[in-house]
Amino acid sequence: MYLWNHNRRFNDYSSYLSSIFGGRIQKLTIDAGFSCPNRDGSISVGGCTFCVNDAFNPSYCASSKSITQQLIEGIEFHNRRYRRAVGYLAYFQAFSNTYSNVDDLRAKYYEALSIDGVKGLIIGTRPDCISTEILDLIEEINQKYYVVVEFGIESCFDDTLEKINRGHSFQTAENTLKELEKRNIKTGAHFIFGLPDESISKMMSYAPIISELPIKTVKFHQLQIFKNTIIAEQYKENPSRFKMFELDEYIAFIINFIEQLNPNIVIERFAGEAPPRFLDVSTWGLMRYDKVLSLIEKKMEERNTWQGKLCQNTH
């Protein structure tokens, strides 16, 4: 029934990392002080309509600190709260972490890799912020360390990408993913369900498209509307344009979705979670992601279903 060497009904991220590193691996989020071409005027100003990066940054993560300090504090933080990991991945998360010159990127990436216990990098960025020189640098690092370049793609449809002020097309994302695949560099992608004017059927049509992408990992988030964002104002003006899932409704949707998803793609997240103080609109209350995941897995067992059950493409 499954293609994986574990008992879960989806290709889960923790098992994937454990199979590579032989134990628990913890991601350590870094704010390395990067900007974004969608904020500084290179493409646009104001950023994506939904964006509030601070909602996803842990307490130790701040651009006022050095990369070294953030990682050391991150290791101490996780050692206090969780069981000890066998290693760490430095996660360059805030904004576009390839949006600089190669010398700056080299210095920051290798500073992170110099910290004891750091086994590799996860580099969050945009598909339009990758040059040949940057590809060369990432390929160099990839030969010695675990590396994933993680792209915010958000939607498979250009009309939606325009509405959220994303500043790039879906074709740009496809092309960039293929360039990294040529160099054997692992990639991840992020998608949001509930963006303006996307029906359930339109969102479901992502599944075969994503299944064809040359990605190793994927994150799915339900739309969360944060305070003081453009999308919060748009929601107030016309809430019917947005799909704000109730919890039970989202669980049914995401299970139907992953039944059609390529089982070789590793699922890192099914849903998003952010501190309540950032949320302008919330349909799930204070429920933590671990609880949501447990409910999804319980429902999958009840339905006797699994990732890829209805998928036609298993590249």
Side-chain angles (χ1 to χ4, degrees), residues 237-296:
E237 292 172 4
N238 190 355
S240 66
R241 294 182 63 202
F242 302 89
K243 180 57 185 173
M244 301 301 294
F245 286 93
E246 296 293 337
L247 179 58
D248 289 348
E249 184 182 25
Y250 186 76
I251 290 172
F253 165 81
I254 200 67
I255 293 173
N256 290 340
F257 188 93
I258 68 164
E259 283 181 329
Q260 300 182 45
L261 184 69
N262 188 334
N264 291 308
I265 296 174
V266 177
I267 298 177
E268 187 168 349
R269 294 187 70 87
F270 286 102
E273 179 184 4
R277 68 182 183 277
F278 289 101
L279 291 172
D280 196 50
V281 180
S282 175
T283 57
W284 295 4
L286 302 178
M287 184 169 291
R288 300 297 303 268
Y289 175 71
D290 287 349
K291 176 62 174 177
V292 175
L293 176 58
S294 176
L295 292 171
I296 290 171

Side-chain angles (χ1 to χ4, degrees), residues 32-45 92-106 108-109 123-131 133-135 137-138 149-151:
F34 291 103
S35 183
C36 175
N38 215 13
R39 288 177 170 268
D40 67 8
S42 297
I43 294 175
S44 182
V45 293
F92 286 81
Q93 188 270 341
F95 302 111
S96 301
N97 293 272
T98 57
Y99 188 48
S100 188
N101 64 74
V102 172
D103 289 340
D104 180 51
L105 296 177
R106 177 183 294 275
K108 288 178 176 176
Y109 295 162
I123 302 168
T125 191
R126 294 167 54 91
D128 55 354
C129 289
I130 300 283
S131 66
E133 292 77 17
I134 293 171
L135 282 171
L137 171 61
I138 296 172
V149 183
E150 185 177 285
F151 294 103

Side-chain angles (χ1 to χ4, degrees), residues 144-161:
K144 296 182 180 179
Y145 299 93
Y146 176 88
V147 179
V148 174
V149 183
E150 185 177 285
F151 294 103
I153 299 177
E154 317 312 354
S155 173
C156 297
F157 298 100
D158 287 348
D159 60 334
T160 302
L161 295 175

Side-chain angles (χ1 to χ4, degrees), residues 29 50 52-58 93 221 224 226 272-275 278:
T29 303
F50 56 82
V52 176
N53 254 273
D54 287 346
F56 304 101
N57 284 347
Q93 188 270 341
H221 283 201
Q224 296 173 287
F226 297 115
E273 179 184 4
F278 289 101

Side-chain angles (χ1 to χ4, degrees), residues 190-204:
H190 179 278
F191 296 92
I192 299 174
F193 295 123
L195 293 171
D197 307 317
E198 289 203 345
S199 64
I200 293 289
S201 61
K202 188 170 185 176
M203 288 183 264
M204 286 297 298

